């Protein structure tokens, strides 16, 4: 069905909706319009019926910027796309299912991208019926689109499922009852559309989501990665994770959390393991927002405890760390850091015990969380760097809090950063979010001030006194083996570690001190049975 946006035959309601749509001016820059014109001419010269479809039409109707143009056409898409890439001077890439991408560098903004795909059926109408949601099941013939843009006349939509009305009503509706079964990734895409476009979910579509949620694990992990990370980029991560959970998708992604729901914690915790895990990204965002605030706002924050200035001083330290290139405050809002905050306590799901007095324990849950996060990050197709961050947060998120319970020694600080390097700053900040999520709406206590002070001290030593806690080695492994007549083995690592700690403690100040200390330590190790 072709729809003119002001057809007199429509009902009054539809006519009003469409007239409102027609008043929107497409958000299209001159360079994109030029390439659309060249693309249209290309297809006209070859007598190929090509249509703008999907998200491109949706964004034009919403007057949102569009840089990715989806084009559907019949025939050999690969051959045609190669020819079009040559015509436009763009880079060609063969994607999948005969879909192709042409990328053209832009001098005024993001690159211009044309995605070409073959019709899913014999006609453009059949293609639209096979798409995911009604708001993506609209098409515009390229010649008609260009004519409308040039003359300022109204757009002529091919809209068999009345997607423009759903768009106007801000409703997300599946294009068919089989939509999610045809491609289960569409369920995650539905969540993204709800969030990004502030839509409401059609009740029947909600029923289908719950019905088909169990199909999500069938999707290739790299596709899940792309869609889930896109969700994590939105603010208010915790709300969006709850949205996933509302439709049964959260535990399809993270079955490890099935046991966490309702799993109680010691009395200091406001929430159970499941709720605490979901809330931690929220408190990470709160901390991130505060660290971007002014010092005056920081001092007025409820996180500034009893007049102490630790939060302001921490902000200054993090700004210095950014200047040194060892930390980026923007990393706190990155998908992987939010994911690490979500997964930090996943080890509790397999370490829950209750002793004879009724006390709850999660012994060694940080260590237990490491293999679980490894499995999760493999399922999510995480990069090596992302896997490392998530695992380090799971393994070490308790350490800043443990350090706050006693005097923080130079040796303890050194060991922390030997294990973690600059990632130790991120781990410490996630640990602060963890503490806040432990308390929830409950009042903060002196324990918060102590942990905040410990994190500030950790950061201060690393950012301002790095050489004192991580001094350059006075002896290298090869010289140590030569001077002490040793062969390669575990004992060399133990000697080097002991030397580094002795340097940090001020016991070793010269190469001669280092040789003497190493000799003495070697004798101790031998007497202790370490050969």
């Amino acid at each position: 069905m072709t729809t003119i946006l002001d057809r007199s035959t429509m009902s009054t309601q539809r006519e009003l909706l469409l007239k409102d749509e027609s008043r929107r001016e497409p958000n299209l820059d001159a360079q994109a319009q030029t390439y659309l014109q060249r693309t249209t001419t290309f297809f006209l010269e070859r007598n190929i019926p090509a249509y703008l479809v999907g998200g491109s039409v949706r964004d034009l109707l919403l007057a949102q910027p569009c840089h990715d143009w989806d084009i559907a056409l019949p025939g050999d898409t690969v051959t045609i796309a190669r020819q079009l890439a040559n015509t436009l001077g763009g880079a060609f890439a063969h994607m999948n299912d005969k879909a192709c991408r042409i990328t053209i560098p832009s001098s005024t903004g993001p690159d211009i991208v044309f995605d070409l795909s073959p019709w899913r059926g014999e006609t453009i109408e059949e293609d639209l019926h096979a798409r995911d949601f009604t708001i993506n099941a609209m098409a515009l013939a390229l010649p008609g689109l260009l004519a409308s843009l040039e003359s300022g006349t109204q757009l002529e939509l091919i809209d068999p499922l009345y997607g423009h009305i759903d768009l106007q009503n801000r409703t997300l509706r599946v294009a068919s009852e089989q939509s999610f079964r045809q491609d289960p990734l569409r369920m995650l895409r539905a969540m993204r559309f709800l969030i990004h476009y502030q839509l409401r979910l059609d009740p029947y579509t909600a029923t289908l989501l719950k019905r088909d949620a169990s199909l999500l694990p069938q999707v290739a992990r790299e596709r899940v990665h792309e869609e889930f990370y896109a969700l994590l980029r939105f603010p208010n991560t915790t709300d969006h994770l709850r949205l996933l959970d509302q439709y049964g998708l959260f535990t399809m992604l993270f079955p490890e959390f099935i046991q966490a729901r309702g799993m109680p914690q010691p009395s200091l915790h406001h929430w159970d393991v499941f709720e605490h895990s979901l809330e931690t990204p929220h408190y990470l965002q709160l901390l991130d927002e505060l660290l971007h605030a002014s010092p005056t706002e920081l001092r007025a924050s409820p996180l500034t405890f009893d007049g102490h200035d630790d939060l302001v001083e921490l902000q200054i330290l993090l700004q210095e760390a950014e200047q040194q290139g060892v930390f980026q405050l923007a990393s706190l809002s990155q998908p992987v850091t939010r994911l690490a905050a979500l997964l930090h306590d996943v080890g509790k799901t397999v370490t829950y015990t209750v002793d004879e007095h009724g006390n709850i324990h999660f012994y060694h849950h940080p260590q237990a969380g490491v293999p679980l996060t490894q499995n999760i990050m493999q399922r999510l197709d995480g990069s090596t760097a992302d896997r490392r961050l998530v695992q380090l947060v799971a393994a070490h998120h308790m350490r800043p809090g443990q350090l706050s319970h006693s005097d923080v020694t130079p040796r303890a600080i050194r060991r922390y950063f030997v294990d973690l390097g600059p990632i130790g700053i991120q781990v410490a900040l996630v640990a602060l979010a963890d503490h806040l999520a432990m308390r929830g709406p409950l009042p903060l206590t002196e324990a918060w001030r102590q942990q905040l002070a410990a994190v500030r001290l950790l950061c201060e030593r690393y950012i301002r006194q790095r050489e004192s806690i991580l001094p350059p080695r006075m002896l290298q492994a090869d010289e140590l083996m030569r001077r002490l007549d040793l062969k390669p083995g575990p004992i060399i690592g133990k000697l080097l570690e002991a030397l580094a700690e002795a340097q940090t403690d001020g016991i070793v100040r010269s190469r001669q001190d280092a040789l003497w200390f190493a000799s003495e330590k070697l004798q101790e190790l031998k007497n202790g049975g370490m050969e």
Side-chain angles (χ1 to χ4, degrees):
M1 180 193 72
T2 300
T3 304
I4 307 295
L5 290 188
D6 61 352
R7 283 178 61 179
S8 58
T9 55
M10 295 178 180
S11 67
T12 302
Q13 179 188 17
R14 288 184 59 203
E15 184 172 339
L16 289 173
L17 291 171
L18 294 175
K19 284 184 176 179
D20 183 71
E21 286 286 356
S22 70
R23 288 195 292 269
R24 295 173 182 256
E25 291 292 334
N27 193 338
L28 191 64
D29 64 35
Q31 190 172 31
Q33 189 160 337
T34 297
Y35 279 106
L36 276 175
Q37 178 65 65
R38 293 176 62 186
T39 300
T40 300
T41 300
F42 172 90
F43 287 119
L44 283 173
E45 289 175 347
R46 290 158 178 78
N47 198 30
I48 298 173
Y51 296 85
L52 198 68
V53 294
S56 305
V57 178
R58 179 194 67 231
D59 290 345
L60 278 176
L61 291 178
L62 291 173
Q64 293 199 0
C66 184
H67 306 285
D68 295 355
W69 302 95
D70 302 317
I71 297 174
L73 61 152
D76 185 350
T77 308
V78 177
T79 300
I80 293 297
R82 288 186 186 276
Q83 294 173 359
L84 178 60
N86 292 333
T87 299
L88 300 179
F92 170 87
H94 189 183
M95 307 298 284
N96 51 62
D97 297 330
K98 299 182 180 180
C100 302
R101 172 165 293 178
I102 300 168
T103 304
I104 304 162
S106 172
S107 59
T108 59
D111 291 345
I112 298 170
V113 176
F114 288 97
D115 285 332
L116 276 64
S117 58
W119 286 348
R120 309 172 200 186
E122 297 299 318
T123 65
I124 186 62
E125 287 79 7
E126 288 184 23
D127 175 273
L128 297 177
H129 275 281
R131 290 184 175 269
D132 51 6
F133 306 105
T134 60
I135 62 171
N136 293 333
M138 298 177 281
L140 290 164
L142 281 180
L145 168 63
L146 263 295
S148 296
L149 291 174
E150 291 170 357
S151 64
T153 57
Q154 294 168 353
L155 299 172
E156 184 174 330
L157 282 176
I158 300 172
D159 186 13
L161 299 174
Y162 300 103
H164 64 280
I165 294 181
D166 281 339
L167 192 63
Q168 182 67 24
N169 288 330
R170 287 292 192 268
T171 299
L172 187 66
R173 188 190 315 273
V174 286
S176 77
E177 187 265 344
Q178 293 296 311
S179 183
F180 297 138
R181 291 182 173 178
Q182 290 167 354
D183 182 1
L185 185 69
R186 290 171 172 175
M187 293 184 284
L188 285 186
R189 193 175 299 142
M191 300 295 101
R192 176 164 58 86
F193 287 156
L194 290 175
I195 297 163
H196 180 69
Y197 295 104
Q198 299 181 16
L199 307 176
R200 69 173 186 87
L201 194 60
D202 162 65
Y204 181 59
T205 302
T207 300
L208 297 178
L209 261 174
K210 293 177 180 178
R211 182 196 73 181
D212 296 334
S214 62
L215 303 177
L216 187 59
Q218 298 177 7
V219 181
R221 61 184 188 177
E222 61 272 12
R223 298 182 68 217
V224 172
H225 170 94
E226 183 177 355
E227 203 63 60
F228 184 63
Y229 268 48
L231 283 173
L232 291 175
R233 288 189 179 92
F234 292 112
N236 305 319
T237 304
T238 293
D239 292 342
H240 309 328
L241 294 173
R242 292 191 185 284
L243 184 66
L244 290 175
D245 191 50
Q246 180 180 346
Y247 296 104
L249 298 173
F250 181 80
T251 49
M252 287 297 110
L253 287 172
F254 305 106
E256 291 82 0
F257 280 101
I258 293 174
Q259 298 179 69
R261 198 186 303 273
M263 182 177 282
Q265 300 205 75
S267 57
L268 286 176
H269 290 76
H270 179 71
W271 285 297
D272 64 24
V273 174
F274 185 85
E275 294 295 327
H276 169 78
S277 299
L278 261 62
E279 288 291 336
T280 305
H282 162 73
Y283 285 98
L284 181 67
Q285 179 179 328
L286 173 63
L287 189 61
D288 179 27
E289 291 170 353
L290 283 175
L291 290 171
H292 281 90
S294 69
T296 301
E297 291 171 319
L298 270 182
R299 291 188 178 97
S301 161
L303 302 190
T304 296
F305 191 84
D306 200 21
H308 291 272
D309 245 6
D310 287 310
L311 206 52
V312 173
E313 292 173 10
L314 178 60
Q315 182 187 57
I316 294 170
L317 286 165
L318 295 177
Q319 291 168 353
E320 293 178 19
E322 287 196 294
Q323 294 169 0
Q324 295 175 17
V326 297
F327 173 76
Q328 291 295 321
L329 196 55
S331 67
L332 295 185
S333 60
Q334 292 300 305
V336 64
T337 313
R338 291 172 172 173
L339 179 58
L342 169 68
L343 300 179
H344 75 284
D345 265 350
V346 69
K348 287 184 175 179
T349 62
V350 294
T351 56
Y352 172 78
T353 59
V354 181
D355 65 22
E356 64 273 17
H357 303 293
N359 298 314
I360 297 169
H361 301 285
F362 299 99
Y363 292 124
H364 308 299
H365 79 268
Q367 295 87 342
V370 172
L372 295 178
T373 57
Q374 287 174 338
N375 292 336
I376 291 170
M377 294 306 289
Q378 184 175 6
R379 289 202 309 269
L380 291 178
D381 197 36
S383 67
T384 300
D386 284 6
R387 294 184 191 198
R388 182 167 183 262
L389 175 63
V390 171
Q391 289 169 29
L392 287 177
V393 167
H396 300 283
H397 68 275
M398 297 286 289
R399 289 176 71 175
Q402 291 165 346
L403 290 173
S404 71
H405 297 153
S406 59
D407 291 336
V408 185
T409 65
R411 179 173 294 187
I413 295 174
R414 178 188 171 278
R415 286 179 174 172
Y416 180 82
F417 285 107
V418 164
D419 290 340
L420 297 172
I423 288 179
I425 298 175
Q426 276 176 275
V427 173
L429 295 173
V430 173
L432 291 179
D434 177 26
H435 185 100
L436 293 171
M438 176 187 73
R439 299 298 297 167
L442 299 176
L444 294 173
T445 66
E446 176 66 14
W448 164 251
R449 190 201 65 78
Q450 291 173 352
Q451 181 153 343
L452 186 55
V455 168
R456 179 195 58 75
L457 181 61
L458 280 171
C459 292
E460 180 182 5
R461 293 291 187 269
Y462 186 78
I463 294 164
R464 293 179 177 170
Q465 303 173 33
R466 193 152 51 246
E467 287 194 1
S468 68
I469 62 169
L470 298 170
R473 286 180 178 174
M474 292 182 178
L475 290 177
Q476 299 300 321
D478 55 350
E479 184 177 3
L480 195 62
M481 288 187 289
R482 187 175 68 254
R483 292 293 192 102
L484 299 181
D485 193 24
L486 295 172
K487 296 179 181 179
I491 199 169
I492 304 301
K494 287 184 173 293
L495 289 174
L496 289 172
E497 176 63 17
L499 271 172
E501 290 193 354
Q503 283 182 248
T504 302
D505 294 342
I507 297 171
V508 169
R509 300 177 183 275
S510 66
R511 285 170 54 80
Q512 191 61 38
D513 287 347
L515 281 170
W516 170 83
F517 181 88
S519 301
E520 292 290 314
K521 193 66 178 178
L522 176 61
Q523 195 59 45
E524 288 180 21
L525 292 172
K526 286 182 175 180
N527 290 340
M530 177 71 186
E531 293 294 341

